Amino acid sequence: MITTVEEAKLAEASGAHVVVAQGSEAGGHRSTFSLDQHSSGAQVGTMSLVPQVVDAIRIPVIAAGGIVDGRGLIASLVLGAQGVQIGTRFVTAKESGAHAVYKQAIFGSSEESTVVTKIFSGRPARGINNRFIREFEQSGIEPLPFPSQNTITKDIRAAAAKVENPEFMSLWAGQSTRSLTEEKAAAEIVQEIVKEANEVFI
């Protein structure tokens, strides 16, 4: 997984057979190789990143970040990607192991609900903003490096999940959540995406 053209070149030179171009819209941990230049991970949008990576390397490129429907799939293919990686939409699937409260937080979120934070793990990740993130940031205390920060917040996150309190859970999610409103089977999600993609050509 890469987040810049330079990372894509490094991956190709290192023998990678394919790269996943992760745009800034993606939920979860940023895939930036080095945090020296990008303290919060590189923040290049998917639609900008994909064509530039496609033009810069010869190996296949998979698009990721903010893709939840057939339109995102088609747009990615038009930009030169060989396929897409979809995350947040499948977090809400019936088969997903995600906590029910986590899924409900996604259903109740919008494109403005997420932030990139190091508060939970020590590495930059996009998730739904909540009380734990806000209060930790207001404290002015720097999170420990990964994996130490992840270790010290583990019990807090587990306890929050146990009592179904999303305000202290890590709710990783991308920026295209407004259209996600109900739990569906994974197969149904795939069928919907394919149907939407086909309709784009009609």
Side-chain angles (χ1 to χ4, degrees):
M1 294 189 73
I2 56 89
T3 58
T4 66
V5 170
E6 290 307 312
E7 288 179 349
K9 291 178 178 178
L10 285 172
E12 183 179 44
S14 298
H17 292 179
V18 61
V19 296
V20 176
Q22 184 195 48
S24 59
E25 302 94 328
H29 285 88
R30 306 297 301 138
S31 297
T32 304
F33 290 177
S34 173
L35 298 181
D36 295 336
Q37 183 178 356
H38 305 285
S39 62
S40 292
Q43 300 296 319
V44 182
T46 306
M47 295 298 113
S48 176
L49 179 64
V50 170
Q52 295 185 78
V53 170
V54 168
D55 289 345
I57 62 177
R58 295 181 179 180
I59 57 177
V61 176
I62 305 299
I67 303 167
V68 296
D69 58 21
R71 293 171 298 178
L73 167 60
I74 293 300
S76 300
L77 297 179
V78 168
L79 293 173
Q82 295 295 303
V84 298
Q85 178 175 295
I86 299 175
T88 305
R89 185 159 187 192
F90 286 102
V91 170
T92 67
K94 290 180 179 179
E95 297 89 342
S96 166
H99 196 292
V101 170
Y102 179 7
K103 292 181 181 181
Q104 285 305 314
I106 291 175
F107 295 144
S109 67
S110 74
E111 71 282 359
E112 297 184 276
S113 298
T114 65
V115 294
V116 175
T117 181
K118 294 181 183 177
I119 301 306
F120 284 107
S121 70
R123 280 190 59 80
R126 181 176 294 285
I128 297 172
N129 201 5
N130 60 13
R131 180 180 169 187
F132 187 80
I133 295 173
R134 290 190 297 271
E135 292 193 3
F136 199 107
E137 289 182 345
Q138 289 170 5
S139 74
I141 299 171
E142 282 294 314
L144 297 173
F146 178 86
S148 299
Q149 184 72 10
N150 190 63
T151 300
I152 67 169
T153 64
K154 182 178 179 181
D155 289 344
I156 295 171
R157 290 179 279 125
K162 190 173 182 179
V163 298
E164 301 186 346
N165 184 349
E167 293 299 325
F168 294 88
M169 296 168 63
S170 51
L171 307 168
W172 306 137
Q175 289 184 308
S176 297
T177 59
R178 185 180 289 274
S179 64
L180 309 182
T181 58
E182 61 179 316
E183 191 178 58
K184 297 180 180 180
E188 185 179 358
I189 292 173
V190 172
Q191 290 165 359
E192 283 187 0
I193 292 172
V194 172
K195 182 175 182 289
E196 291 163 354
N198 287 332
E199 289 174 349
V200 171
F201 290 109
I202 296 175

